[in-house]
Structure formats: structure tokens, C-alpha cells
Amino acid sequence: MTQPMIDSYGRRITYLRLSVTELCNLRCRYCMPEDGVCKKRHEEMLTQEEMITAVRAAASLGIRKLRITGGEPLVKANIVDLCREAGAVEGLEEICLTTNGTLLPKLAVPLREAGVSRLNISLDTLDAAKFHHITRVGELSEALAGLEAALEAGYDKIKINTVLIGGFNDDEIPALAALTQRWPVDVRFIELMPMYDSGDFGPEAFIPYTVVTDRLPGLLPVPADGGVAKLYRLPDALGNIGLISPVSAHFCTECNRIRITADGKIKPCLHSSDEISIKGMDFEGMRETLRSAILSKPRWHGELSYSERSHAARNMNQIGG
Ligand code: SAM
């Protein structure tokens, strides 16, 4: 099997995040503008065939893990076929998908059958009014129905991603963490990242992950699993609590990932404006472009804070998280 590439700073690059659409059926305030995205022309986006060629090219360079993301990947027509085709690519060991969960009641089983083994489901609150507020349009009941459908479909590991927002959901940390005592899921609290033009969150919204350990004094440390989250567990829990700190304690030295956007731009670093297009290329072209993009990964992305915004020059729905 092909050995993974090592970038210029000694990091093994094994993980591709592929955004399959910029479109979403929600409008989360920290992620995208209210009026959605300026819909790009169809011809500007990667075709399904190009996406699979890109996945093959990445796998030929030693990528082992693929995450399908968006926008909302489940609004993409043929998402099940796309996952099935990606799952057949030689060298890939796992296909994961990140979703807001609302379309899982219909798609959890077909996606599982197509080879998706792990799901991350975004859920920032357990309060219906707050869910509607933060997503601008969403219904909490639909997201929870999706989570239950995923549990019933028998995924290997379900992770709930919660963006920590001071003054919005820090009062719900115990209730969200308690989901790990009710279901076999991990709950991961992720620091709010100051993206491009998303949201009008003030400085009080940007709270560090240590707020979670302060609010949950009973947390027990758990050995790391190779991911970016610091892991803990509540007594009697069925899953872990993960703390992800892109802002207060960046993990760039452990970065093993590369991203491709739905319009065919490789992003060597989430928070850099550097982008390299693979749109229209064949397998060899994509492979060589991916190779040089991996070698161009920066050492780190620079400070992030309320006042030091991401340089990504895109909102998260146009990158995939
Ligand atoms: N629509 C899917 C979803 O809701 O999970 C996938 C795409 S979404 C861009 C991927 C992840 O990025 C979600 O977990 C979302 O909460 C997270 N995200 C988006 N904007 C963020 C921000 N400004 N800071 C931290 N996480 C963010």
C-alpha cells in the first residue's frame, strides 16, 4: 500500500476532507450568510466524476481517511452514489461524513449501506427556540430525529459536534455532555472560529474549551485516539467528551489533513487564503497538484481570535469545516 506523504514539516498527511456542495438547508449564523451562498454556476463546481478522480488521486498519495462534508452533503443529489463510489477507491480505509442530521431519517440507512462508517452530526443546542435562532431556519425535532435514525442504522461511531458559543450555549454544557450517558455517542465541543464574514458574534462569544472542564468537574481524562480532540469521559458514560481548541490552543503540529472544496480548490490549510485549483484536470494532473499542495502546507495558520480573523477568505460552508 502507498505510504502517506510527509509534508515539509514532517507531518504524515492521511486525511482528505472533500466538500461536495456549498449549499445547505440550514443557515447557521457562524457558518454562512443569511441569504445563503451566491450560487455558483454548475460548470464551476467539480462534477461527481472529478470528485471521485480527486479521491483516487489522494488515495494514491497515501490518503487513508475521507470525510465528506459541505455545505450540507445530504442536500446533494446522488450523495449515496458518490459515497458508494468513494468507498470503492483502493487504499481508503474509512469514509466519514459530517452533516446537520436533518436529512438522516431518509438517508442514514442508504449511506451506511453505501459504505459510510462514521457520522459527525452537528448540534449546538437542545432548546428548540435556540436551535431555530442559531440555524435561522431549522427545527430541532428534525435534527434529533436524524440522530436517532443514525443510532438505529448502526454506525461504528457517532460524534455530535457542538460549536461552543459564549452567551448562547455555555449554559447547556452539562445537558449536551449528558447525551454521552444516554446514547453511545461522543460529544465534541469545538471553539468558535472567527471566519471571514460569518456572523456578528462579539468577543464574549469566543470562549475557550477550558470552560467545559470548569463546568464539568467530574470529567475523567481518556487517552487520545489520534484525533485532534482532548478526550474525557463522564462517569457511567457510553461515549467520550472531546474538546477541540482551534483558537486557544491550535493543533497545527498534528495536522494530517488536506481539503478540497466543492468548486475544486485544494486548501492546504483551513485558515490560509492559498488555494490551488484542480477543476478540469485528469488523474495525473490532480495527483501532481495534490502532491505539491501537500508540500506547500504552512507550519501553522497564525493567531486566531475575535480580532484576528481567519484568512480563509471563505465562510465555512464553502470549505467544509
Ligand atoms: N452541514 C454540515 C454540518 O452542519 O455539520 C457539514 C458542514 S459544516 C461547515 C461542518 C462543521 O463546521 C460543523 O460541525 C459546523 O458546526 C462547523 N463550523 C462551521 N462554522 C464554524 C465556525 N465558525 N467555528 C467552528 N465550527 C464551525
Side-chain angles (χ1 to χ4, degrees):
M1 184 181 278
T2 319
Q3 285 307 306
M5 277 188 67
I6 311 278
D7 77 1
S8 312
Y9 299 94
R11 299 169 294 200
R12 285 174 91 236
I13 309 304
T14 54
Y15 178 11
L16 170 65
R17 297 178 66 102
L18 173 66
S19 174
V20 297
T21 179
E22 296 183 0
L23 304 179
C24 190
N25 55 345
L26 301 183
R27 292 282 180 276
C28 295
R29 290 170 187 267
Y30 48 75
C31 188
M32 65 192 293
E34 180 163 20
D35 51 0
V37 268
C38 158
K39 203 174 167 196
K40 293 191 174 124
R41 283 180 303 124
H42 192 63
E43 309 81 81
E44 292 176 65
M45 312 310 281
L46 289 183
T47 61
Q48 180 165 331
E49 197 183 335
E50 285 174 321
M51 286 181 189
I52 295 299
T53 305
V55 172
R56 283 179 40 235
S60 78
L61 295 171
I63 293 292
R64 307 268 205 267
K65 169 175 168 180
L66 172 68
R67 176 170 303 282
I68 308 271
T69 178
E72 172 49 46
L74 304 194
V75 303
K76 184 171 176 62
N78 301 334
I79 184 64
V80 175
D81 282 351
L82 179 64
C83 291
R84 187 177 298 108
E85 279 191 61
V89 170
E90 203 183 314
L92 280 188
E93 292 171 0
E94 56 177 347
I95 315 275
C96 314
L97 185 143
T98 300
T99 172
N100 61 39
T102 55
L103 299 173
L104 282 174
K106 247 200 236 156
L107 288 169
V109 170
L111 287 169
R112 181 85 185 96
E113 288 170 358
V116 175
S117 59
R118 300 197 343 195
L119 288 180
N120 286 5
I121 301 177
S122 301
L123 183 67
D124 299 326
T125 173
L126 295 170
D127 178 288
K130 284 163 74 174
F131 187 89
H132 188 77
H133 171 77
I134 200 72
T135 62
R136 294 194 180 103
V137 292
E139 297 294 335
L140 176 66
S141 56
E142 293 179 3
L144 293 178
L147 173 57
E148 292 193 23
L151 285 161
E152 278 166 28
Y155 284 88
D156 297 344
K157 186 67 153 178
I158 295 172
K159 294 181 180 171
I160 295 176
N161 282 347
T162 299
V163 180
L164 258 183
I165 307 170
F168 173 72
N169 61 5
D170 45 334
D171 59 330
E172 290 190 73
I173 290 169
L176 287 157
L179 296 179
T180 64
Q181 292 169 312
R182 178 166 169 199
W183 289 310
V185 297
D186 284 6
V187 172
R188 305 177 339 145
F189 293 98
I190 304 171
E191 290 174 349
L192 175 64
M193 288 180 259
M195 300 306 292
Y196 182 50
D197 69 354
S198 61
D200 50 3
F201 296 93
E204 68 292 343
F206 293 84
I207 54 175
Y209 73 96
T210 47
V211 168
V212 177
T213 45
D214 292 346
R215 301 277 164 91
L216 301 172
L219 281 183
L220 307 165
V222 168
D225 63 358
V228 294
K230 297 168 196 47
L231 297 181
Y232 298 85
R233 211 168 172 95
L234 286 172
D236 305 325
L238 305 168
N240 294 327
I241 304 290
L243 306 182
I244 304 184
S245 55
V247 176
S248 72
H250 72 85
F251 32 80
C252 302
T253 52
E254 293 150 54
C255 184
N256 62 351
R257 52 191 73 180
I258 190 102
R259 294 174 168 81
I260 300 179
T261 64
D263 59 346
K265 306 290 192 302
I266 305 173
K267 283 193 82 70
C269 170
L270 168 58
H271 294 297
S272 159
S273 60
D274 287 354
E275 298 183 345
I276 308 134
S277 182
I278 52 168
K279 176 72 191 157
M281 288 182 179
D282 63 7
F283 174 85
E284 278 307 325
M286 288 190 189
R287 188 168 195 265
E288 284 320 302
T289 310
L290 270 165
R291 186 198 297 282
S292 59
I294 288 173
L295 293 175
S296 77
K297 268 177 78 63
R299 187 172 62 81
W300 79 302
H301 51 56
E303 292 296 341
L304 289 176
S305 68
Y306 167 65
S307 49
E308 288 166 291
R309 317 285 298 174
S310 168
H311 296 288
R314 288 172 177 249
N315 281 321
M316 220 44 129
N317 68 297
Q318 297 177 301
I319 305 174

